[in-house]
Each structure stands twice: as structure tokens, then as C-alpha cells.
Amino acid sequence: MTRSVAAARRLVLFAALWFVLTDGEGAALGAVVVLAASWLSLRLLPTTRPLRMSALLAIVPGFVWRSLLGGVDVARRALDPRLPLDPGWIEIPVDLTDGGRVALGGELSLMPGTLVAGSANGRLLVHVLDRQQDTVSAVRNEAMRMGKVAG
């Protein structure tokens, strides 16, 4: 993908985000913020592979479903003292680009019961509520889905 196509896509994405968040108010400030955000995103995360929007849209329903299941699990653990609770940190190797790992970490942090605190050497540092659960397989499955989006 050429740099100009990547820049145009990011401009449209950030403009749409600005419009949704502000109901279209403050167009002058929005234009400055959108331009700055687009420029900064291209500097910090240069485009090497195209983002597959169809694949991104395809993972949304699964993300919503897994978030719902995670919320139910967290609520059950909070309300039923008999359920196991073994919080702690685990390191999970993930075979994604740096940008893919950041996106995956953001996605996982939005799911109840997990928090990604960073990555190093191709591994995500994840805080979970129960270290005995098979979080590694779940994260690897999510990484495969994210890999399809990132190419």
C-alpha cells in the first residue's frame, strides 16, 4: 500500500472517529486534530501491510460474544466465593508484528478478566483472574484472528 493511500485511510478513520465522539461539533479543531493524529500514526506505526477491513468486521461479533462471556465469568467469580480465583501474571508468546501485538493487547484489555500490561521479545504480559484457566490457547486463537486482520 502506498503511503498516500495509507494516509487517506487514516484521515478518514480519524475523521469518522472525531465525528462520532463530538457529534460533528468543532470542525476547525477536529480538522487540526485529525491531521495531527494521522501524521502521528504514520510516524509511529508506518504501514507495511494493508489492514483488511472485511476481516476486522468479521471478528467484531466474536469479540462481543467473548466479552459477554468474560463479563459473566467475572460476575460469577465476584458473587460466588466457591469459584476459583488465582490472579496473577502470565507471559504469552505471540507471533504478530509489533503493531499486531499492540492491537491484540488493546483488544484483550477490553475483555473482562484480562489486562495486557505490555510486550517484550514477542511475548505479551497478561494479568488474569485465574492462572489455572487455559488463557494461553485463548490468546493464541485471538492472535490468529488478529493476524488475519493485519495480513
Short mmCIF file of all heavy atoms in Angstrom, two decimals, residues 34-108:
data_model
loop_
_atom_site.label_atom_id
_atom_site.label_comp_id
_atom_site.label_asym_id
_atom_site.label_seq_id
_atom_site.Cartn_x
_atom_site.Cartn_y
_atom_site.Cartn_z
N VAL A 34 -7.46 15.73 13.57
CA VAL A 34 -7.44 14.62 12.62
C VAL A 34 -6.13 14.62 11.83
O VAL A 34 -5.51 13.57 11.65
CB VAL A 34 -8.67 14.68 11.68
CG1 VAL A 34 -8.50 13.77 10.48
CG2 VAL A 34 -9.93 14.32 12.45
N LEU A 35 -5.70 15.77 11.37
CA LEU A 35 -4.43 15.85 10.64
C LEU A 35 -3.26 15.44 11.53
O LEU A 35 -2.38 14.68 11.11
CB LEU A 35 -4.21 17.26 10.08
CG LEU A 35 -5.08 17.64 8.88
CD1 LEU A 35 -4.92 19.12 8.57
CD2 LEU A 35 -4.72 16.79 7.68
N ALA A 36 -3.25 15.94 12.75
CA ALA A 36 -2.16 15.60 13.68
C ALA A 36 -2.16 14.11 14.03
O ALA A 36 -1.10 13.47 14.05
CB ALA A 36 -2.28 16.45 14.95
N ALA A 37 -3.33 13.57 14.29
CA ALA A 37 -3.43 12.14 14.64
C ALA A 37 -3.00 11.27 13.46
O ALA A 37 -2.30 10.26 13.65
CB ALA A 37 -4.86 11.80 15.06
N SER A 38 -3.38 11.66 12.26
CA SER A 38 -2.99 10.89 11.07
C SER A 38 -1.48 10.93 10.87
O SER A 38 -0.84 9.90 10.63
CB SER A 38 -3.70 11.43 9.84
OG SER A 38 -5.10 11.30 9.99
N TRP A 39 -0.91 12.13 10.96
CA TRP A 39 0.53 12.27 10.80
C TRP A 39 1.28 11.45 11.86
O TRP A 39 2.21 10.71 11.56
CB TRP A 39 0.93 13.75 10.89
CG TRP A 39 2.41 13.95 10.83
CD1 TRP A 39 3.20 13.97 9.72
CD2 TRP A 39 3.29 14.11 11.95
NE1 TRP A 39 4.51 14.15 10.07
CE2 TRP A 39 4.59 14.24 11.44
CE3 TRP A 39 3.09 14.16 13.33
CZ2 TRP A 39 5.69 14.42 12.26
CZ3 TRP A 39 4.20 14.33 14.14
CH2 TRP A 39 5.47 14.46 13.61
N LEU A 40 0.83 11.59 13.12
CA LEU A 40 1.49 10.88 14.21
C LEU A 40 1.36 9.37 14.05
O LEU A 40 2.32 8.62 14.28
CB LEU A 40 0.91 11.32 15.56
CG LEU A 40 1.60 10.79 16.80
CD1 LEU A 40 3.06 11.23 16.84
CD2 LEU A 40 0.88 11.27 18.05
N SER A 41 0.20 8.89 13.63
CA SER A 41 0.01 7.45 13.47
C SER A 41 0.91 6.91 12.36
O SER A 41 1.43 5.80 12.46
CB SER A 41 -1.45 7.11 13.20
OG SER A 41 -1.81 7.42 11.88
N LEU A 42 1.11 7.69 11.30
CA LEU A 42 2.00 7.25 10.23
C LEU A 42 3.46 7.25 10.68
O LEU A 42 4.25 6.43 10.23
CB LEU A 42 1.84 8.15 9.00
CG LEU A 42 0.55 7.92 8.21
CD1 LEU A 42 0.35 9.03 7.20
CD2 LEU A 42 0.55 6.56 7.54
N ARG A 43 3.81 8.16 11.56
CA ARG A 43 5.19 8.20 12.08
C ARG A 43 5.45 7.07 13.06
O ARG A 43 6.50 6.45 13.04
CB ARG A 43 5.47 9.54 12.78
CG ARG A 43 5.38 10.75 11.90
CD ARG A 43 6.60 10.99 11.09
NE ARG A 43 7.74 11.22 11.96
CZ ARG A 43 8.98 11.17 11.55
NH1 ARG A 43 9.25 10.92 10.31
NH2 ARG A 43 9.96 11.39 12.39
N LEU A 44 4.48 6.81 13.94
CA LEU A 44 4.68 5.80 14.99
C LEU A 44 4.41 4.38 14.51
O LEU A 44 5.01 3.44 15.01
CB LEU A 44 3.78 6.12 16.19
CG LEU A 44 4.10 7.40 16.93
CD1 LEU A 44 3.09 7.63 18.05
CD2 LEU A 44 5.52 7.38 17.49
N LEU A 45 3.50 4.24 13.56
CA LEU A 45 3.14 2.91 13.08
C LEU A 45 3.04 2.95 11.55
O LEU A 45 1.95 3.00 10.99
CB LEU A 45 1.80 2.47 13.70
CG LEU A 45 1.40 1.02 13.51
CD1 LEU A 45 2.45 0.09 14.10
CD2 LEU A 45 0.07 0.77 14.15
N PRO A 46 4.20 2.97 10.89
CA PRO A 46 4.19 3.03 9.43
C PRO A 46 3.46 1.82 8.85
O PRO A 46 3.50 0.72 9.41
CB PRO A 46 5.66 2.99 9.04
CG PRO A 46 6.42 3.27 10.28
CD PRO A 46 5.54 2.89 11.43
N THR A 47 2.82 2.03 7.74
CA THR A 47 2.07 0.96 7.10
C THR A 47 3.01 0.05 6.35
O THR A 47 3.75 0.50 5.47
CB THR A 47 1.03 1.55 6.14
OG1 THR A 47 0.18 2.39 6.88
CG2 THR A 47 0.22 0.47 5.48
N THR A 48 3.02 -1.20 6.71
CA THR A 48 3.79 -2.19 5.98
C THR A 48 2.86 -3.17 5.28
O THR A 48 3.20 -3.71 4.25
CB THR A 48 4.72 -2.98 6.92
OG1 THR A 48 3.95 -3.55 7.97
CG2 THR A 48 5.77 -2.06 7.51
N ARG A 49 1.71 -3.40 5.86
CA ARG A 49 0.72 -4.30 5.28
C ARG A 49 -0.64 -3.62 5.37
O ARG A 49 -0.92 -2.93 6.33
CB ARG A 49 0.65 -5.61 6.07
CG ARG A 49 1.93 -6.39 6.03
CD ARG A 49 1.74 -7.67 6.81
NE ARG A 49 3.03 -8.29 7.02
CZ ARG A 49 3.30 -9.10 8.00
NH1 ARG A 49 2.37 -9.41 8.86
NH2 ARG A 49 4.48 -9.64 8.13
N PRO A 50 -1.49 -3.90 4.39
CA PRO A 50 -2.81 -3.29 4.45
C PRO A 50 -3.67 -3.91 5.54
O PRO A 50 -3.56 -5.11 5.82
CB PRO A 50 -3.40 -3.55 3.07
CG PRO A 50 -2.66 -4.74 2.56
CD PRO A 50 -1.29 -4.69 3.18
N LEU A 51 -4.49 -3.10 6.15
CA LEU A 51 -5.46 -3.57 7.13
C LEU A 51 -6.66 -4.10 6.37
O LEU A 51 -7.21 -3.41 5.52
CB LEU A 51 -5.87 -2.42 8.04
CG LEU A 51 -6.83 -2.74 9.18
CD1 LEU A 51 -6.15 -3.69 10.16
CD2 LEU A 51 -7.24 -1.47 9.89
N ARG A 52 -7.05 -5.30 6.66
CA ARG A 52 -8.17 -5.92 5.96
C ARG A 52 -9.46 -5.60 6.72
O ARG A 52 -9.76 -6.22 7.73
CB ARG A 52 -7.96 -7.41 5.85
CG ARG A 52 -6.75 -7.74 5.01
CD ARG A 52 -6.67 -9.23 4.74
NE ARG A 52 -5.54 -9.50 3.87
CZ ARG A 52 -4.49 -10.19 4.24
NH1 ARG A 52 -4.42 -10.70 5.44
NH2 ARG A 52 -3.50 -10.39 3.40
N MET A 53 -10.20 -4.62 6.19
CA MET A 53 -11.42 -4.16 6.87
C MET A 53 -12.47 -5.26 6.94
O MET A 53 -13.18 -5.37 7.94
CB MET A 53 -11.99 -2.93 6.17
CG MET A 53 -11.09 -1.71 6.29
SD MET A 53 -10.65 -1.30 7.99
CE MET A 53 -12.16 -0.59 8.56
N SER A 54 -12.58 -6.09 5.91
CA SER A 54 -13.57 -7.17 5.95
C SER A 54 -13.23 -8.16 7.07
O SER A 54 -14.12 -8.64 7.77
CB SER A 54 -13.66 -7.89 4.61
OG SER A 54 -12.40 -8.44 4.25
N ALA A 55 -11.95 -8.44 7.24
CA ALA A 55 -11.53 -9.35 8.33
C ALA A 55 -11.76 -8.69 9.68
O ALA A 55 -12.15 -9.35 10.64
CB ALA A 55 -10.07 -9.74 8.16
N LEU A 56 -11.54 -7.37 9.76
CA LEU A 56 -11.78 -6.65 11.01
C LEU A 56 -13.25 -6.71 11.38
O LEU A 56 -13.60 -7.00 12.53
CB LEU A 56 -11.32 -5.20 10.88
CG LEU A 56 -11.54 -4.30 12.09
CD1 LEU A 56 -10.74 -4.82 13.28
CD2 LEU A 56 -11.15 -2.88 11.78
N LEU A 57 -14.12 -6.46 10.43
CA LEU A 57 -15.56 -6.53 10.70
C LEU A 57 -15.99 -7.95 11.05
O LEU A 57 -16.91 -8.14 11.84
CB LEU A 57 -16.34 -6.01 9.50
CG LEU A 57 -16.18 -4.51 9.22
CD1 LEU A 57 -16.90 -4.14 7.93
CD2 LEU A 57 -16.69 -3.68 10.39
N ALA A 58 -15.32 -8.95 10.47
CA ALA A 58 -15.67 -10.34 10.74
C ALA A 58 -15.36 -10.76 12.17
O ALA A 58 -16.03 -11.64 12.72
CB ALA A 58 -14.96 -11.26 9.76
N ILE A 59 -14.36 -10.12 12.81
CA ILE A 59 -14.03 -10.53 14.18
C ILE A 59 -14.86 -9.80 15.24
O ILE A 59 -14.84 -10.19 16.40
CB ILE A 59 -12.52 -10.38 14.49
CG1 ILE A 59 -12.11 -8.91 14.54
CG2 ILE A 59 -11.68 -11.18 13.54
CD1 ILE A 59 -10.70 -8.69 15.06
N VAL A 60 -15.58 -8.77 14.84
CA VAL A 60 -16.36 -7.99 15.82
C VAL A 60 -17.40 -8.84 16.56
O VAL A 60 -17.47 -8.79 17.79
CB VAL A 60 -16.99 -6.74 15.17
CG1 VAL A 60 -18.00 -6.08 16.09
CG2 VAL A 60 -15.90 -5.76 14.78
N PRO A 61 -18.23 -9.64 15.86
CA PRO A 61 -19.23 -10.43 16.61
C PRO A 61 -18.60 -11.39 17.62
O PRO A 61 -19.08 -11.52 18.74
CB PRO A 61 -19.98 -11.20 15.51
CG PRO A 61 -19.77 -10.41 14.28
CD PRO A 61 -18.41 -9.79 14.42
N GLY A 62 -17.49 -12.03 17.24
CA GLY A 62 -16.82 -12.93 18.17
C GLY A 62 -16.25 -12.18 19.36
O GLY A 62 -16.30 -12.67 20.49
N PHE A 63 -15.71 -10.99 19.11
CA PHE A 63 -15.19 -10.16 20.20
C PHE A 63 -16.30 -9.81 21.18
O PHE A 63 -16.14 -9.91 22.39
CB PHE A 63 -14.54 -8.90 19.64
CG PHE A 63 -14.23 -7.88 20.69
CD1 PHE A 63 -13.15 -8.04 21.53
CD2 PHE A 63 -15.03 -6.76 20.86
CE1 PHE A 63 -12.86 -7.11 22.52
CE2 PHE A 63 -14.76 -5.82 21.83
CZ PHE A 63 -13.67 -5.99 22.66
N VAL A 64 -17.44 -9.40 20.64
CA VAL A 64 -18.58 -9.03 21.50
C VAL A 64 -19.03 -10.25 22.30
O VAL A 64 -19.28 -10.16 23.51
CB VAL A 64 -19.74 -8.44 20.66
CG1 VAL A 64 -20.99 -8.28 21.50
CG2 VAL A 64 -19.32 -7.12 20.05
N TRP A 65 -19.12 -11.41 21.66
CA TRP A 65 -19.55 -12.63 22.35
C TRP A 65 -18.56 -13.02 23.45
O TRP A 65 -18.94 -13.32 24.57
CB TRP A 65 -19.73 -13.77 21.35
CG TRP A 65 -20.10 -15.07 21.98
CD1 TRP A 65 -19.33 -16.19 22.06
CD2 TRP A 65 -21.33 -15.37 22.66
NE1 TRP A 65 -20.00 -17.17 22.74
CE2 TRP A 65 -21.23 -16.70 23.11
CE3 TRP A 65 -22.48 -14.65 22.92
CZ2 TRP A 65 -22.25 -17.32 23.81
CZ3 TRP A 65 -23.50 -15.28 23.61
CH2 TRP A 65 -23.38 -16.59 24.06
N ARG A 66 -17.26 -13.00 23.14
CA ARG A 66 -16.26 -13.37 24.15
C ARG A 66 -16.22 -12.35 25.28
O ARG A 66 -15.98 -12.71 26.43
CB ARG A 66 -14.89 -13.55 23.48
CG ARG A 66 -14.82 -14.84 22.66
CD ARG A 66 -13.45 -15.08 22.06
NE ARG A 66 -13.07 -14.07 21.08
CZ ARG A 66 -13.50 -14.03 19.83
NH1 ARG A 66 -14.33 -14.94 19.40
NH2 ARG A 66 -13.09 -13.09 19.00
N SER A 67 -16.48 -11.09 24.98
CA SER A 67 -16.55 -10.07 26.03
C SER A 67 -17.74 -10.34 26.95
O SER A 67 -17.63 -10.19 28.18
CB SER A 67 -16.69 -8.68 25.42
OG SER A 67 -15.51 -8.32 24.76
N LEU A 68 -18.86 -10.72 26.36
CA LEU A 68 -20.04 -11.05 27.17
C LEU A 68 -19.76 -12.25 28.07
O LEU A 68 -20.06 -12.22 29.27
CB LEU A 68 -21.24 -11.33 26.26
CG LEU A 68 -22.52 -11.72 26.96
CD1 LEU A 68 -23.06 -10.56 27.80
CD2 LEU A 68 -23.57 -12.16 25.95
N LEU A 69 -19.16 -13.30 27.51
CA LEU A 69 -18.83 -14.47 28.32
C LEU A 69 -17.83 -14.12 29.42
O LEU A 69 -17.94 -14.60 30.55
CB LEU A 69 -18.25 -15.57 27.43
CG LEU A 69 -19.21 -16.24 26.46
CD1 LEU A 69 -18.46 -17.27 25.62
CD2 LEU A 69 -20.37 -16.88 27.18
N GLY A 70 -16.85 -13.28 29.10
CA GLY A 70 -15.87 -12.85 30.10
C GLY A 70 -16.54 -12.06 31.22
O GLY A 70 -16.21 -12.23 32.40
N GLY A 71 -17.48 -11.19 30.86
CA GLY A 71 -18.21 -10.42 31.88
C GLY A 71 -19.02 -11.31 32.80
O GLY A 71 -19.06 -11.10 34.01
N VAL A 72 -19.67 -12.32 32.21
CA VAL A 72 -20.44 -13.27 33.03
C VAL A 72 -19.51 -14.04 33.96
O VAL A 72 -19.82 -14.23 35.14
CB VAL A 72 -21.25 -14.22 32.12
CG1 VAL A 72 -21.84 -15.38 32.92
CG2 VAL A 72 -22.35 -13.46 31.39
N ASP A 73 -18.35 -14.46 33.43
CA ASP A 73 -17.39 -15.20 34.26
C ASP A 73 -16.89 -14.35 35.42
O ASP A 73 -16.83 -14.81 36.56
CB ASP A 73 -16.22 -15.67 33.41
CG ASP A 73 -15.19 -16.44 34.22
OD1 ASP A 73 -15.58 -17.47 34.83
OD2 ASP A 73 -14.02 -16.02 34.24
N VAL A 74 -16.55 -13.09 35.14
CA VAL A 74 -16.06 -12.20 36.21
C VAL A 74 -17.16 -11.97 37.24
O VAL A 74 -16.91 -12.01 38.46
CB VAL A 74 -15.58 -10.85 35.62
CG1 VAL A 74 -15.34 -9.83 36.71
CG2 VAL A 74 -14.32 -11.07 34.81
N ALA A 75 -18.39 -11.77 36.79
CA ALA A 75 -19.51 -11.56 37.73
C ALA A 75 -19.73 -12.80 38.59
O ALA A 75 -19.95 -12.69 39.80
CB ALA A 75 -20.78 -11.21 36.96
N ARG A 76 -19.67 -13.98 37.98
CA ARG A 76 -19.84 -15.22 38.74
C ARG A 76 -18.75 -15.37 39.81
O ARG A 76 -19.02 -15.74 40.94
CB ARG A 76 -19.82 -16.43 37.82
CG ARG A 76 -21.10 -16.59 37.03
CD ARG A 76 -21.13 -17.85 36.17
NE ARG A 76 -20.85 -19.04 36.95
CZ ARG A 76 -19.98 -19.98 36.59
NH1 ARG A 76 -19.30 -19.88 35.49
NH2 ARG A 76 -19.80 -21.04 37.35
N ARG A 77 -17.52 -15.06 39.43
CA ARG A 77 -16.41 -15.17 40.40
C ARG A 77 -16.56 -14.16 41.53
O ARG A 77 -16.19 -14.43 42.66
CB ARG A 77 -15.07 -14.98 39.69
CG ARG A 77 -14.70 -16.12 38.80
CD ARG A 77 -13.42 -15.83 38.02
NE ARG A 77 -13.24 -16.79 36.97
CZ ARG A 77 -12.67 -17.98 37.13
NH1 ARG A 77 -12.23 -18.34 38.32
NH2 ARG A 77 -12.55 -18.80 36.12
N ALA A 78 -17.10 -13.01 41.21
CA ALA A 78 -17.29 -11.98 42.24
C ALA A 78 -18.40 -12.35 43.21
O ALA A 78 -18.35 -12.02 44.39
CB ALA A 78 -17.59 -10.64 41.59
N LEU A 79 -19.42 -13.03 42.72
CA LEU A 79 -20.60 -13.32 43.53
C LEU A 79 -20.58 -14.70 44.17
O LEU A 79 -21.34 -14.94 45.11
CB LEU A 79 -21.87 -13.16 42.68
CG LEU A 79 -22.09 -11.75 42.12
CD1 LEU A 79 -23.26 -11.73 41.16
CD2 LEU A 79 -22.28 -10.75 43.25
N ASP A 80 -19.77 -15.61 43.68
CA ASP A 80 -19.74 -16.97 44.23
C ASP A 80 -18.34 -17.26 44.77
O ASP A 80 -17.42 -17.54 44.00
CB ASP A 80 -20.12 -17.97 43.15
CG ASP A 80 -20.30 -19.38 43.70
OD1 ASP A 80 -19.94 -19.64 44.88
OD2 ASP A 80 -20.80 -20.24 42.95
N PRO A 81 -18.17 -17.23 46.09
CA PRO A 81 -16.83 -17.42 46.68
C PRO A 81 -16.26 -18.83 46.45
O PRO A 81 -15.07 -19.04 46.65
CB PRO A 81 -17.04 -17.14 48.16
CG PRO A 81 -18.49 -17.28 48.39
CD PRO A 81 -19.18 -17.00 47.10
N ARG A 82 -17.08 -19.78 46.02
CA ARG A 82 -16.58 -21.14 45.79
C ARG A 82 -15.80 -21.25 44.48
O ARG A 82 -15.03 -22.18 44.30
CB ARG A 82 -17.73 -22.14 45.77
CG ARG A 82 -18.43 -22.24 47.13
CD ARG A 82 -19.66 -23.07 47.01
NE ARG A 82 -20.59 -22.31 46.15
CZ ARG A 82 -21.73 -22.76 45.67
NH1 ARG A 82 -22.11 -23.98 45.95
NH2 ARG A 82 -22.49 -22.01 44.92
N LEU A 83 -16.02 -20.31 43.57
CA LEU A 83 -15.32 -20.37 42.29
C LEU A 83 -13.86 -19.97 42.49
O LEU A 83 -13.54 -19.10 43.28
CB LEU A 83 -15.99 -19.45 41.27
CG LEU A 83 -17.35 -19.93 40.79
CD1 LEU A 83 -17.98 -18.90 39.87
CD2 LEU A 83 -17.24 -21.26 40.07
N PRO A 84 -12.97 -20.62 41.72
CA PRO A 84 -11.53 -20.35 41.91
C PRO A 84 -11.15 -18.94 41.49
O PRO A 84 -11.69 -18.38 40.55
CB PRO A 84 -10.86 -21.38 40.99
CG PRO A 84 -11.88 -21.74 39.98
CD PRO A 84 -13.22 -21.58 40.65
N LEU A 85 -10.22 -18.42 42.25
CA LEU A 85 -9.65 -17.11 41.94
C LEU A 85 -8.16 -17.20 42.24
O LEU A 85 -7.76 -17.35 43.39
CB LEU A 85 -10.33 -16.03 42.80
CG LEU A 85 -10.16 -14.59 42.37
CD1 LEU A 85 -10.72 -14.40 40.98
CD2 LEU A 85 -10.87 -13.66 43.33
N ASP A 86 -7.37 -17.19 41.20
CA ASP A 86 -5.92 -17.30 41.32
C ASP A 86 -5.29 -16.23 40.42
O ASP A 86 -4.73 -16.54 39.37
CB ASP A 86 -5.47 -18.70 40.91
CG ASP A 86 -3.99 -18.92 41.08
OD1 ASP A 86 -3.35 -18.16 41.84
OD2 ASP A 86 -3.45 -19.84 40.43
N PRO A 87 -5.41 -14.96 40.83
CA PRO A 87 -4.92 -13.88 39.96
C PRO A 87 -3.41 -13.90 39.84
O PRO A 87 -2.70 -14.33 40.75
CB PRO A 87 -5.41 -12.62 40.65
CG PRO A 87 -5.56 -13.00 42.08
CD PRO A 87 -5.93 -14.46 42.09
N GLY A 88 -2.95 -13.43 38.71
CA GLY A 88 -1.51 -13.35 38.53
C GLY A 88 -1.16 -12.98 37.10
O GLY A 88 -2.02 -12.77 36.26
N TRP A 89 0.15 -12.93 36.87
CA TRP A 89 0.68 -12.54 35.57
C TRP A 89 1.15 -13.76 34.82
O TRP A 89 1.76 -14.65 35.40
CB TRP A 89 1.85 -11.58 35.76
CG TRP A 89 1.46 -10.29 36.38
CD1 TRP A 89 1.51 -9.97 37.70
CD2 TRP A 89 0.92 -9.15 35.70
NE1 TRP A 89 1.04 -8.70 37.89
CE2 TRP A 89 0.67 -8.17 36.67
CE3 TRP A 89 0.63 -8.87 34.38
CZ2 TRP A 89 0.16 -6.93 36.36
CZ3 TRP A 89 0.12 -7.63 34.07
CH2 TRP A 89 -0.11 -6.67 35.05
N ILE A 90 0.89 -13.78 33.52
CA ILE A 90 1.43 -14.82 32.66
C ILE A 90 2.03 -14.16 31.42
O ILE A 90 1.59 -13.09 31.01
CB ILE A 90 0.37 -15.87 32.26
CG1 ILE A 90 -0.83 -15.20 31.57
CG2 ILE A 90 -0.10 -16.66 33.46
CD1 ILE A 90 -1.86 -16.21 31.04
N GLU A 91 3.05 -14.78 30.89
CA GLU A 91 3.66 -14.31 29.65
C GLU A 91 3.25 -15.26 28.53
O GLU A 91 3.37 -16.48 28.67
CB GLU A 91 5.18 -14.27 29.76
CG GLU A 91 5.68 -13.14 30.62
CD GLU A 91 7.19 -13.01 30.55
OE1 GLU A 91 7.80 -13.39 29.52
OE2 GLU A 91 7.76 -12.52 31.54
N ILE A 92 2.77 -14.68 27.44
CA ILE A 92 2.27 -15.49 26.34
C ILE A 92 3.00 -15.09 25.06
O ILE A 92 2.92 -13.95 24.63
CB ILE A 92 0.75 -15.29 26.17
CG1 ILE A 92 0.03 -15.62 27.48
CG2 ILE A 92 0.23 -16.14 25.02
CD1 ILE A 92 -1.43 -15.27 27.49
N PRO A 93 3.70 -16.05 24.43
CA PRO A 93 4.35 -15.74 23.16
C PRO A 93 3.30 -15.53 22.07
O PRO A 93 2.35 -16.29 21.97
CB PRO A 93 5.21 -16.97 22.87
CG PRO A 93 4.74 -18.03 23.77
CD PRO A 93 3.96 -17.41 24.88
N VAL A 94 3.48 -14.48 21.28
CA VAL A 94 2.53 -14.14 20.22
C VAL A 94 3.32 -13.86 18.95
O VAL A 94 4.25 -13.04 18.97
CB VAL A 94 1.68 -12.91 20.62
CG1 VAL A 94 0.75 -12.53 19.50
CG2 VAL A 94 0.90 -13.19 21.88
N ASP A 95 2.96 -14.51 17.88
CA ASP A 95 3.64 -14.35 16.61
C ASP A 95 2.92 -13.32 15.74
O ASP A 95 2.24 -13.66 14.79
CB ASP A 95 3.72 -15.70 15.88
CG ASP A 95 4.59 -15.62 14.64
OD1 ASP A 95 5.51 -14.78 14.62
OD2 ASP A 95 4.34 -16.39 13.70
N LEU A 96 3.04 -12.05 16.14
CA LEU A 96 2.46 -10.94 15.39
C LEU A 96 3.51 -9.84 15.27
O LEU A 96 4.49 -9.82 16.02
CB LEU A 96 1.24 -10.37 16.13
CG LEU A 96 -0.03 -11.21 16.17
CD1 LEU A 96 -1.06 -10.58 17.11
CD2 LEU A 96 -0.62 -11.39 14.79
N THR A 97 3.27 -8.93 14.35
CA THR A 97 4.14 -7.75 14.25
C THR A 97 3.96 -6.90 15.50
O THR A 97 3.03 -7.13 16.29
CB THR A 97 3.77 -6.92 13.01
OG1 THR A 97 2.43 -6.44 13.18
CG2 THR A 97 3.89 -7.73 11.73
N ASP A 98 4.81 -5.91 15.66
CA ASP A 98 4.68 -5.02 16.83
C ASP A 98 3.30 -4.37 16.87
O ASP A 98 2.65 -4.33 17.91
CB ASP A 98 5.76 -3.93 16.80
CG ASP A 98 7.14 -4.48 17.08
OD1 ASP A 98 7.24 -5.59 17.66
OD2 ASP A 98 8.12 -3.81 16.73
N GLY A 99 2.84 -3.87 15.73
CA GLY A 99 1.51 -3.25 15.67
C GLY A 99 0.41 -4.25 15.97
O GLY A 99 -0.57 -3.93 16.63
N GLY A 100 0.57 -5.48 15.49
CA GLY A 100 -0.42 -6.52 15.77
C GLY A 100 -0.49 -6.87 17.24
O GLY A 100 -1.56 -7.08 17.79
N ARG A 101 0.68 -6.90 17.89
CA ARG A 101 0.70 -7.18 19.34
C ARG A 101 0.04 -6.05 20.13
O ARG A 101 -0.68 -6.29 21.09
CB ARG A 101 2.13 -7.39 19.83
CG ARG A 101 2.59 -8.82 19.73
CD ARG A 101 3.87 -9.08 20.52
NE ARG A 101 4.98 -8.23 20.12
CZ ARG A 101 5.74 -8.44 19.07
NH1 ARG A 101 5.52 -9.45 18.29
NH2 ARG A 101 6.73 -7.62 18.79
N VAL A 102 0.27 -4.81 19.68
CA VAL A 102 -0.38 -3.67 20.35
C VAL A 102 -1.89 -3.77 20.20
O VAL A 102 -2.65 -3.59 21.15
CB VAL A 102 0.15 -2.33 19.79
CG1 VAL A 102 -0.68 -1.17 20.27
CG2 VAL A 102 1.61 -2.14 20.19
N ALA A 103 -2.34 -4.06 18.99
CA ALA A 103 -3.79 -4.18 18.74
C ALA A 103 -4.38 -5.34 19.54
O ALA A 103 -5.45 -5.21 20.15
CB ALA A 103 -4.05 -4.39 17.25
N LEU A 104 -3.68 -6.47 19.58
CA LEU A 104 -4.16 -7.61 20.35
C LEU A 104 -4.20 -7.28 21.84
O LEU A 104 -5.16 -7.61 22.53
CB LEU A 104 -3.26 -8.83 20.11
CG LEU A 104 -3.61 -10.09 20.89
CD1 LEU A 104 -5.00 -10.60 20.51
CD2 LEU A 104 -2.57 -11.17 20.66
N GLY A 105 -3.17 -6.60 22.34
CA GLY A 105 -3.16 -6.20 23.75
C GLY A 105 -4.31 -5.28 24.08
O GLY A 105 -4.95 -5.41 25.12
N GLY A 106 -4.60 -4.35 23.18
CA GLY A 106 -5.74 -3.46 23.40
C GLY A 106 -7.04 -4.21 23.41
O GLY A 106 -7.91 -3.98 24.25
N GLU A 107 -7.19 -5.14 22.47
CA GLU A 107 -8.42 -5.94 22.42
C GLU A 107 -8.59 -6.77 23.69
O GLU A 107 -9.66 -6.80 24.30
CB GLU A 107 -8.40 -6.85 21.20
CG GLU A 107 -9.61 -7.76 21.12
CD GLU A 107 -9.49 -8.82 20.05
OE1 GLU A 107 -8.51 -8.83 19.28
OE2 GLU A 107 -10.39 -9.66 19.99
N LEU A 108 -7.52 -7.45 24.10
CA LEU A 108 -7.61 -8.30 25.29
C LEU A 108 -7.88 -7.48 26.55
O LEU A 108 -8.58 -7.94 27.45
CB LEU A 108 -6.33 -9.12 25.46
CG LEU A 108 -6.07 -10.17 24.39
CD1 LEU A 108 -4.68 -10.78 24.56
CD2 LEU A 108 -7.13 -11.25 24.41
#
